[in-house]
């Protein structure tokens, strides 16, 4: 049978804390009265131990304080703070880059390289044709065809279908 009391003062005395501490915990939502308005002493004590700051509460200093939700929350909070500091340090040492800026730079470089490759057959076809003694227009057409195939193959390799790239898939 649960130990119940209507009085906040009596509940605080039985739990071993001040009435003010009990009222503060209730107003913070850490504990609550039963639906009938009474305090369940065991249930309230358990909730206070689970949510207590071990460094501030006489209830939080128990032997298994590391397993309480509050202790786990404090460890997680500390881990997040350390991670945020590590990221800030990496950012200050310029180890991090903005993804959008990196993508834009890569697109700019790749576009410039593509344009240079597409213009290359027109620039060199005459020189190569003179060395080989063949028709310059025919050589330029063949070189252009091979460069286009090379670029298409590279585009397929670096932007495979289904990854959500900018290119549309053909049905």
């Amino acid at each position: 049978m649960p130990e119940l009391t209507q009085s906040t003062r009596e509940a605080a005395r039985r739990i071993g804390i001040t009435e003010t501490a009990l009222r503060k915990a209730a107003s913070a939502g850490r504990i609550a009265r039963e639906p009938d308005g009474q305090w369940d002493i065991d249930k309230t004590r358990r909730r206070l131990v689970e949510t207590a700051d071990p460094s501030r509460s006489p209830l939080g200093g128990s032997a298994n304080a590391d397993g309480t939700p509050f202790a786990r929350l404090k460890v997680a909070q500390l881990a997040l703070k350390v991670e945020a500091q590590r990221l800030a340090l990496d950012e200050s040492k310029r180890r991090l880059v903005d993804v959008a800026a990196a993508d834009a730079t890569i697109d700019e470089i790749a576009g410039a390289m593509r344009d240079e490759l597409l213009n290359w057959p027109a620039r060199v076809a005459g020189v190569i044709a003179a060395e080989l003694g063949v028709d310059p227009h025919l050589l330029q057409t063949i070189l252009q065809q091979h460069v286009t195939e090379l670029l298409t193959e590279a585009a397929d390799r670096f932007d495979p279908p289904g990854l959500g790239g900018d290119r549309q898939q053909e049905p």
Side-chain angles (χ1 to χ4, degrees):
M1 179 105 195
E3 185 180 357
L4 300 171
T5 181
Q6 185 71 30
S7 166
T8 302
R9 180 175 292 151
E10 180 62 20
R13 186 188 67 73
R14 289 185 189 177
I15 293 171
I17 60 174
T18 65
E19 181 181 0
T20 304
L22 188 68
R23 289 184 191 279
K24 284 183 179 181
S27 67
R30 292 175 45 213
I31 58 172
R33 291 179 180 259
E34 294 298 305
D36 63 359
Q38 296 193 62
W39 290 105
D40 181 336
I41 303 301
D42 293 331
K43 183 177 175 183
T44 303
R45 183 179 291 121
R46 243 186 343 269
R47 283 292 297 148
L48 284 170
V49 168
E50 288 174 356
T51 60
D53 180 349
S55 65
R56 295 183 56 197
S57 170
L59 297 175
S62 64
N64 63 351
D66 292 339
T68 66
F70 182 82
R72 289 192 305 270
L73 179 65
K74 287 301 242 183
V75 168
Q77 185 180 29
L78 180 61
L80 285 173
K81 186 184 271 186
V82 167
E83 181 67 12
Q85 289 172 345
R86 187 189 63 76
L87 286 172
L89 179 63
D90 285 348
E91 186 175 18
S92 70
K93 291 187 174 188
R94 301 186 53 89
R95 292 183 192 151
L96 303 177
V97 295
D98 179 36
V99 172
D103 282 345
T105 302
I106 289 170
D107 287 346
E108 184 179 325
I109 292 169
M113 290 176 71
R114 181 200 61 224
D115 293 345
E116 287 296 317
L117 273 172
L118 287 173
N119 293 327
W120 180 75
R123 286 196 330 257
V124 299
V127 175
I128 295 173
E131 289 177 11
L132 297 176
V134 295
D135 178 31
H137 180 69
L138 177 61
L139 183 61
Q140 181 179 345
T141 305
I142 292 170
L143 286 174
Q144 190 68 47
Q145 179 184 2
H146 286 287
V147 167
T148 303
E149 288 174 7
L150 174 72
L151 289 173
T152 302
E153 184 181 311
D156 289 343
R157 189 171 349 127
F158 294 117
D159 190 17
L163 288 182
D166 295 335
R167 296 181 332 137
Q168 299 261 338
Q169 291 183 18
E170 293 183 23

